[in-house]
Amino acid sequence: MSANGGKGAQGQDVPPPAPEALPLPVADSHTHLDMQERSVEESLRMSVSVNVTTLIQVGCDVPSSEWAVQTAQQHPEIHPTVALHPNEGPRLVLGDVDGWSRQHRAPGGSAALEAALARIDELAALPHVVGVGETGLDYFRTGPEGVAAQQESFRRHIEIAKRHGKALVIHDRDAHEDVLRILEEEGAPERVVFHCYSGDAAMAKICAERGYVMSFAGPVTFKANEALREALRVAPPDLILVETDAPFLTPVPYRGRPNAPYLIPHTVRSMAETRGMDVAELCAAIDANTRRVFGLR
């Protein structure tokens, strides 16, 4: 981290400089432009300058899903997904039980979840919406009391994705076994993406057998995550994506500073080194995979 500038003591709030451009275009398969400080136009300008030419803007609740849909209509480089984040289901039903969101919502019961799912269903039907997500399970933040609401929401999102023929974008944190089980029980959509893949090599082999796509983010560059790099090594090249999850999960060497789509080259180059691939070869594979998975021209 930089030792000067920024709001933080060590410059943690200073945006990293732009890296060298990639040799071929790639997509950021999972970003949150609405959570980043730059304007959409500036974010696009910076990402395109390093050959990150396509952004998948991901919804986490009804307002952010509506924002994704509206923003994508104004910018052809942006493609929206819509969903309720795994933590959103319990908050709708039980209220802000964990205090983390600081929204201080009162319990809405099953009616609140039903109303939100109905709106997501409406948005998912729109032709330019390319995915249903991020949905899934997250047992890290939501306690045992929220598991039922999470799993019900996840099952409903699977059904919505299948009915509308959209990719399913999964958030899976500390819930690998249940995510895989529910996908089998419900019948997975034709296209499934594990966003910010966090499983090991054994899980990567299961995903590969089932045709699930694995999207790798900044953590694959972290020194301690050798198990994640081993998963990357065993993942078939036609089942790999790259993402930022910006503004979170900034890759090395800028871990802890604000993330953004223009930093994708750091992750791509690290992934190419891990797999022993030429960077251009990996870019071409990632671009083709993104277009296939999300139905992009």
Side-chain angles (χ1 to χ4, degrees):
M1 294 181 182
S2 172
N4 52 36
K7 301 174 185 176
Q10 294 184 312
Q12 292 97 327
D13 294 336
V14 176
E20 179 185 353
L22 291 167
L24 292 174
V26 299
D28 182 348
S29 73
H30 192 113
T31 194
H32 301 282
L33 294 171
D34 52 324
M35 300 182 190
Q36 298 168 40
E37 292 189 0
R38 292 181 185 84
S39 69
V40 171
E41 291 73 19
E42 179 68 3
S43 292
L44 284 171
R45 184 193 68 77
M46 293 187 70
S47 65
V48 169
S49 74
V50 297
N51 236 349
V52 179
T53 57
T54 301
L55 308 182
I56 307 297
Q57 169 64 26
V58 176
C60 292
D61 54 20
V62 169
S64 65
S65 295
E66 292 175 338
W67 189 92
V69 166
Q70 294 163 5
T71 302
Q73 289 175 323
Q74 302 165 14
H75 302 281
E77 306 93 338
I78 298 174
H79 305 274
T81 73
V82 299
L84 308 178
H85 186 281
N87 291 328
E88 179 69 2
R91 290 176 188 149
L92 287 166
V93 175
L94 303 173
D96 194 13
V97 292
D98 53 22
W100 179 79
S101 70
R102 300 180 182 176
Q103 296 175 4
H104 308 295
R105 286 182 285 184
S110 60
L113 179 59
E114 287 297 328
L117 286 168
R119 180 57 177 151
I120 295 300
D121 191 11
E122 292 175 353
L123 295 171
L126 296 172
H128 73 294
V129 170
V130 299
V132 173
E134 59 187 287
T135 181
L137 301 175
D138 186 330
Y139 294 163
F140 175 77
R141 197 172 304 283
T142 299
E145 69 276 11
V147 168
Q150 274 201 13
Q151 293 191 2
E152 174 62 19
S153 179
F154 183 31
R155 292 178 190 276
R156 296 286 293 279
H157 280 83
I158 292 171
E159 189 277 328
I160 291 170
K162 290 195 293 186
R163 181 155 40 81
H164 294 297
K166 304 296 170 77
L168 183 73
V169 179
I170 293 178
H171 172 111
D172 166 25
R173 189 172 187 184
D174 296 348
H176 303 324
E177 291 184 4
D178 280 355
V179 167
L180 291 172
R181 174 181 58 81
I182 290 173
L183 282 170
E184 287 293 283
E185 289 175 356
E186 296 296 318
E190 182 179 348
R191 294 165 290 153
V192 172
V193 177
F194 275 78
H195 130 70
C196 189
Y197 181 81
S198 60
D200 58 12
M203 180 174 165
K205 291 177 181 177
I206 294 173
C207 289
E209 291 170 358
R210 299 180 183 179
Y212 301 160
V213 177
M214 291 157 273
S215 181
F216 291 86
V220 79
T221 72
F222 299 171
K223 183 177 180 180
N225 284 350
E226 183 56 33
L228 187 57
R229 284 186 287 277
E230 185 58 32
L232 173 60
R233 291 186 188 101
V234 305
D238 62 338
L239 295 179
I240 293 173
L241 299 179
V242 68
E243 65 173 89
T244 57
D245 197 22
F248 314 107
L249 304 179
T250 311
V252 169
Y254 299 107
R255 183 178 182 181
R257 289 168 67 176
N259 202 4
Y262 75 91
L263 296 175
I264 278 280
H266 290 296
T267 307
V268 171
R269 290 191 167 96
S270 175
M271 291 170 64
E273 180 179 1
T274 294
R275 289 182 61 89
M277 292 178 69
D278 177 75
V279 173
E281 180 185 4
L282 181 58
C283 288
I286 288 171
D287 184 67
N289 295 343
T290 306
R291 296 187 180 284
R292 182 187 75 251
V293 170
F294 290 105
L296 308 181
R297 294 181 180 178

